Each structure stands twice: as structure tokens, then as C-alpha cells.
Amino acid sequence: MCLAAGRGDSKLIAMKQADLGLNLTTKRTRKREFLDEMNRVVPWAALVELVAAHAPEGKKGRPPFPVETMLRIHFMQQWFTLSDPAMEEALYEIASLRTFAKLDLNALPDETTILNFRHMLEQSDLAEDIFKQVNAHLARKGLLLKKGSIVDATIIAAPSSTKNSTGECDPE
């Protein structure tokens, strides 16, 4: 393909090459704001120190991803309720998640890598230690994190009974 450009077109061509024509935005979304806040309040260095002793060293095969990156991915899975395959896909599709995890498109963990890291955390019984570490850090800042779950409920109007005043089903 041949492109002919005049003087004023060189900036446009350079811009198209830089963003690959994907029209990437810098809009501050709620997800991006949330991730920025979590980046500030989660004690990443302390958590890396806690988990690093249990992480594989990668003496064989391809080198492992940094512990901090995998922790960030694990946290995002919890925050956004993503399965391992969904987390892998989200890393490919959502730039703000890649940025938070300190990744680029050249090297992303696959669902098996994400699964293995999660299993390592479970087998090493680190979930409770991570929770305590984060809670202690937040308490020092005057914040609190509690365990729990969110249940989505919808209230709908429904008749109290399908029976009429005589206790029989109403034919209508």
C-alpha cells in the first residue's frame, strides 16, 4: 500500500501509526478510577514479600511472570469476579487491566498460568495472610475491609395466592 502525504499530513500519519487507528481513549472510567485507588491503597511491596517465598523460581521452561503482576491479576479476578479464562481474555481486551497488572500485549499470562498462581496461593494457605496484611495496612490509614458477599435481589409484585376466598383454585 502506498501513502502519499503532503506537509500537513505527516502528523496525521504519525498519529495513526502510534495508535494503530484503534482510537484509544484516555477517558477516566469508573473502572480505571477504582484501579488507581487500589494501586494506592493495597500494600503491594509487603504482599510480594509475603508471596515470593512460595512462588516458583522458574528454573525450567519460560520465566515466570513477576509475583506483583500475578498478585494484581489475582486481585482483579476477585474484584471483578472473573474466571481464569475470562481474566486472560480481559487482559487482552481491556487496556486499563493490563496497565494495572504492569503488562503489555507482548507477553500476557494464559489461563493456565493464572490458574497455577491461584492454586499456589491456595496450597500455601496465603489467602488469609493476604487479607490480614491488607486489612492491617488499611487500618493504619483509617480504612476497613470486611469479608462478605454481595447478593443481588429484585423485588417483584406477585399475588399472595392463586386460590379464591373458598380455598379453591380460581378458574379465571
Side-chain angles (χ1 to χ4, degrees), residues 7-127:
R7 267 194 228 169
D9 295 336
S10 61
K11 279 186 180 178
L12 178 63
I13 291 172
M15 185 184 305
K16 287 257 187 221
Q17 289 174 343
D19 70 3
L20 301 175
L22 297 175
N23 193 20
L24 301 174
T25 181
T26 56
K27 178 175 172 40
R28 301 298 302 170
T29 62
R30 286 180 296 199
K31 186 176 287 183
R32 189 175 291 178
E33 291 292 335
F34 172 78
L35 291 173
D36 286 347
E37 182 69 20
M38 293 302 102
N39 195 40
R40 286 189 293 276
V41 300
V42 174
W44 296 109
L47 295 178
V48 167
E49 189 177 320
L50 176 70
V51 173
H54 303 277
E57 296 177 14
K59 293 180 180 176
K60 298 179 191 173
R62 62 185 167 129
F65 287 91
V67 171
E68 182 176 353
T69 293
M70 296 307 297
L71 271 171
R72 288 170 175 266
I73 290 169
H74 180 72
F75 273 58
M76 287 188 290
Q77 275 190 280
Q78 305 309 307
W79 295 330
F80 303 125
T81 59
L82 297 171
S83 66
D84 300 325
M87 187 70 233
E88 177 189 2
E89 194 169 297
L91 288 170
Y92 276 98
E93 293 179 349
I94 306 170
S96 60
L97 298 186
R98 284 192 305 275
T99 301
F100 181 79
K102 300 184 176 184
L103 291 167
D104 60 34
L105 279 172
N106 296 327
L108 294 175
D110 62 5
E111 67 182 88
T112 304
T113 302
I114 295 168
L115 169 85
N116 290 338
F117 184 80
R118 186 169 45 79
H119 282 174
M120 182 272 300
L121 291 177
E122 291 166 358
Q123 290 163 357
S124 302
D125 203 26
L126 290 170

Side-chain angles (χ1 to χ4, degrees), residues 158-172:
S160 59
S161 175
T162 57
K163 296 182 178 179
N164 60 20
S165 60
T166 61
E168 297 177 12
C169 287
D170 190 1
E172 292 180 26

